[in-house]
Amino acid sequence: KNEVEQSPQNLTAQEGEFITINCSYSVGISALHWLQQHPGGGIVSLFMLSSGKKKHGRLIATINIQEKHSSLHITASHPRDSAVYICAVSGFQGAQKLVFGQGTRLTINP
Amino acid sequence: EPEVTQTPSHQVTQMGQEVILRCVPISNHLYFYWYRQILGQKVEFLVSFYNNEISEKSEIFDDQFSVERPDGSNFTLKIRSTKLEDSAMYFCASTRDRNRDEQFFGPGTRLTVL
């Protein structure tokens, strides 16, 4: 069983649409991370959160600890947002390594 | 802005050869990690390193793998005898405070084993 599940696996939308990517995890964690992976392969950390909500520009991340669920929202999406968005958790079984989800491939069409 | 760097960006090697992947973490960071991503699959943890020793390793990180921080700036991953299934993108990451801070990733080294 995967510790971290993301949905959807693929998402295609039109420029300007509001995007939501979901992440569920099955075990206790200390933090949840949202990362972005561009076609070239590089990984960039977007958010690290352990409760509540964080906002950075057009990106918003929320987490519900009781439900073991997090969402990443993108407002006013743009083609440059096209990337793979990855949810990862740390603190699983007391360790601080990241345990990754499969990623969500987002394509924003102009 | 400080960043994690990795060299080489792409390494091609023959099966059975030794490879060394190099990383320079951000200078004031204390915790270092290697992850790998086989093409089309999710990113997997290999090993974490703190205070000049391995703090955790995965089942993937068998006797063929080793890490070291030889000079206080470089952080290396060595694969002693590469196998075809070692072909992957290898990412180095570092963080200052593993409990409070995000991990910063390098651009990755694509390893191709022929």
Side-chain angles (χ1 to χ4, degrees):
Chain A
K1 183 182 187 303
N2 291 327
E3 292 94 358
V4 183
E5 296 275 0
Q6 287 184 237
S7 63
Q9 289 191 343
N10 293 282
L11 179 57
T12 299
Q14 291 299 121
E15 183 173 355
E17 285 189 37
F18 181 82
I19 303 299
T20 296
I21 299 170
N22 295 300
C23 176
S24 296
Y25 53 95
S26 57
V27 294
I29 62 170
S30 61
L32 185 139
H33 306 247
W34 282 103
L35 309 116
Q36 182 189 56
Q37 185 171 32
H38 276 283
I43 296 173
V44 175
S45 178
L46 299 174
F47 295 104
M48 175 182 177
L49 65 166
S50 54
S51 65
K53 177 179 174 178
K54 286 190 175 180
K55 184 175 190 291
H56 186 256
R58 295 180 295 106
L59 302 179
I60 304 165
T62 63
I63 187 168
N64 184 318
I65 299 293
Q66 287 73 30
E67 294 186 4
K68 296 187 170 58
H69 181 268
S70 175
S71 294
L72 176 69
H73 305 286
I74 305 174
T75 62
S77 59
H78 190 276
R80 65 175 174 266
D81 297 326
S82 298
V84 175
Y85 291 84
I86 304 173
C87 172
V89 298
S90 58
F92 168 61
Q93 292 181 336
Q96 294 307 318
K97 65 185 180 190
L98 294 184
V99 176
F100 293 78
Q102 286 280 12
T104 294
R105 183 173 299 278
L106 175 66
T107 303
I108 304 295
N109 292 319
Chain B
E1 185 174 325
E3 58 181 18
V4 177
T5 59
Q6 289 186 243
T7 54
S9 56
H10 191 190
Q11 172 100 40
V12 181
T13 190
Q14 295 290 326
M15 190 170 57
Q17 295 296 304
E18 174 183 287
V19 295
I20 297 176
L21 310 183
R22 291 184 167 81
C23 168
V24 179
I26 294 172
S27 62
N28 64 346
H29 285 188
L30 301 175
Y31 299 87
F32 313 110
Y33 307 83
W34 282 103
Y35 298 92
R36 80 170 186 190
Q37 185 178 33
I38 294 170
L39 188 64
Q41 297 187 20
K42 64 182 178 181
V43 180
E44 303 172 286
F45 167 76
L46 290 177
V47 66
S48 59
F49 193 85
Y50 169 71
N51 200 25
N52 280 320
E53 60 182 28
I54 290 173
S55 46
E56 187 180 1
K57 60 184 181 178
S58 71
E59 292 177 354
I60 303 167
F61 194 89
D62 62 21
D63 292 345
Q64 294 298 315
F65 291 87
S66 62
V67 289
E68 65 175 2
R69 191 158 155 80
D71 56 13
S73 61
N74 290 284
F75 178 49
T76 62
L77 174 69
K78 182 192 292 186
I79 309 175
R80 257 179 277 282
S81 178
T82 50
K83 307 182 187 73
L84 295 176
E85 55 265 35
D86 293 328
S87 294
M89 182 76 98
Y90 288 80
F91 293 102
C92 172
S94 69
T95 188
R96 186 182 53 179
D97 183 330
R98 64 178 185 172
N99 293 316
R100 294 188 178 186
D101 296 335
E102 61 197 321
Q103 293 184 19
F104 289 81
F105 286 78
T109 292
R110 181 168 298 285
L111 176 65
T112 303
V113 182
L114 302 175

